Amino acid sequence: MIPNCTFLLAPIALRDMDPLDFEKINSLLDRDVDLREKIKEQVADLDKKTRNMVGMLNKIHSTRLEAREISATLVPILLDEVRSVLLSCRDTTRALADLIPHNQFWRWKDMWSNSLRNTVFAASLVEYLSTRTLIPLSKVSEMLGIEAEWEDRLALPVEDYLHGLISLVNELSRLAVNAVTLGNFEEPIRISAFVKELFVGFSMLNLKNDLLRRRFDSLKYDIKKIEEELECWSQAAASLSTLTAQFSRSSTLETIERVNRLISAWPVDDTIPAEGFDGVKATYKKLAPALRDIQNTAEEEVKALDDAIERVGVLIALRKAPLDTTLQEKRLKRLRAPSPSVTPAPAASSTMTSRSSVSITLPARSSVGPSASGLSRDPKSRREALHKQLPLQEGRRVAFHPPPGKTANGTTDNDENTWILALVTRCINADKNRYEVQDAEPQEDGTGVLYNTTLRAIIPLPDPGASPGNPAHISSYQTFPAGATVLALYPDTSCFYRAEVIVAPKDIHPKAGVLLRHQLTKQMSDGCKKGNPPAKYMPVYKLKFEDDDNQEHTVAAQWVVEWPGTS
């Protein structure tokens, strides 16, 4: 009888509610809707201004930056125009502050976060181009007219400030390349020093495994991009300087003139000249060493010319390389892909550039994809499924689940869904189930953390170097259809994330595959100047990672495996 009583009491409670309460709730909802629309109007105005500033700042990539006389260029005029737009943002920030009720900053902040980050980027780039220094957070707030008494309504969060600085580094890595193209060889050196100092500051921060942590990883690739650009151009410039010095030596011209005079005094036939044989011998003694000098000089010039051609050839090849090309050897050096359209994940090597290791925690299982059953983590089932590939060979790349409480960077991590990129270093005691693996991210000593583990914590990745028919070849692995839930390497990191397949390889044009070819500099040094080495194409997926603002990424199939589920 108790359930029946409860059922009968419910309608009575509804009848007893005051209609004024419903009217009050409706009025609150209507007020929130009106407020949201007003905020959208102001945010749209701020977006328009930030787009205008970013568009103007793009001109720095086509404006010559004189190293010593920057005041004489168009850059200061451009920066003044950006500053005027930046200062006009004060009207918008004040209007936003007037709209937001007290103590509701965190409720509405997501509506303008991206706009503020872009504004920080513009302000920081203007500051760098003007003074070659980093703009502090307080100065950005001052430029935007954000007052301290607004902190419960409108403020510039530290997170948005850091996002803007990361965008600054991304832009400076692009400027380092274009500045050299425009003839400014000193700008990349300044950019390199500035970015390295900024990276040191970011390294001191205790960032969580969120979007900011992932974007922080991009700084490392930007630094590497700047360093390689600097090295490449420096070597080319040095070789051209050497070549110029070789051809401009006055001693060479004098030697050639002397040889010509001696040759003109040499007998034209077998007739002994009037001065006798001794005169011929004297001419020979002068002519022979002079010819040897010319020969040595010619050999040095040929060597300098070959070196200059090789260095410039590398630059030309890099410039002509497709933006979506991901060189395997370059991935060993952790280069960031220059184009966001195709960003296959990096290969691993114990020889990678030293950098702090990171682990990214996988999101909740229910958030991505229609199916997440996953492959079995049972040891016996794993051995049966992988028996054709066992034992795993040394150097094999795998997705590895580190033990709880021990991550690559030494922090505590008890998440069951954390997977990182690792290399198999050996099979323990010839047991096909036990292995020693090494984290792909080297520590400060240049080597990755070693783990003793079993097949339960390992997912072997397809081997792009395996021959067709080999169990490790990509063709032997499952092809995932659109909508499938997978485990994939997030671009430009060494961490695996849960993702949903948006487009399968069969629905992507073959030319969109990831081109695998030898590193261009190695190609040149090995003498492969008459043609490119054989290339391989790797199928790719279009994926949408969890908690990634619905962005779609193109990831090579060698970094995509079945979702492992949880144990």
Side-chain angles (χ1 to χ4, degrees), residues 449-460:
V449 178
L450 292 173
Y451 300 88
N452 288 339
T453 186
T454 64
L455 282 178
R456 185 176 184 274
I458 292 176
I459 302 177

Side-chain angles (χ1 to χ4, degrees), residues 235-412:
Q235 291 176 350
S239 63
L240 291 174
S241 298
T242 302
L243 183 62
T244 303
Q246 285 284 348
F247 279 97
S248 62
R249 288 194 305 186
S250 59
S251 59
T252 302
L253 297 176
E254 294 172 356
T255 302
I256 293 175
E257 291 174 357
R258 187 170 70 254
V259 166
N260 287 334
R261 288 195 300 269
L262 292 172
I263 290 176
S264 63
W266 190 261
V268 296
D269 50 28
D270 295 337
T271 304
I272 301 297
E275 59 270 21
F277 188 69
D278 291 338
V280 176
K281 289 175 62 177
T283 303
Y284 171 77
K285 289 180 179 179
K286 296 178 182 179
L287 184 59
L291 289 173
R292 282 195 294 269
D293 288 343
I294 292 178
Q295 181 183 7
N296 293 336
T297 301
E299 290 175 353
E300 292 176 359
E301 290 177 352
V302 169
K303 183 179 179 182
L305 190 59
D306 286 343
D307 183 64
I309 291 174
E310 179 178 336
R311 301 296 183 186
V312 174
V314 171
L315 293 178
I316 294 174
L318 289 173
R319 284 288 180 267
K320 290 183 177 180
L323 291 180
D324 59 352
T325 299
T326 302
L327 307 178
Q328 290 302 299
E329 289 79 0
K330 287 197 170 192
R331 274 302 176 193
L332 300 181
K333 296 182 179 181
R334 291 293 188 172
L335 259 182
R336 188 185 185 198
S339 170
S341 61
V342 177
T343 51
S349 171
S350 58
T351 60
M352 293 183 196
T353 305
S354 176
R355 53 181 287 198
S356 301
S357 178
V358 295
S359 296
I360 298 180
T361 304
L362 293 174
R365 293 184 58 189
S366 60
S367 56
V368 175
S371 171
S373 59
L375 56 86
S376 174
R377 298 277 295 278
D378 177 67
K380 183 178 179 181
S381 300
R382 295 301 304 280
R383 284 196 300 272
E384 292 176 353
L386 300 172
H387 74 280
K388 292 183 179 180
Q389 300 189 43
L390 301 181
L392 299 178
Q393 299 301 309
E394 179 181 352
R396 180 70 181 275
R397 289 187 287 268
V398 297
F400 170 61
H401 172 57
K406 183 181 181 182
T407 61
N409 59 5
T411 59
T412 301

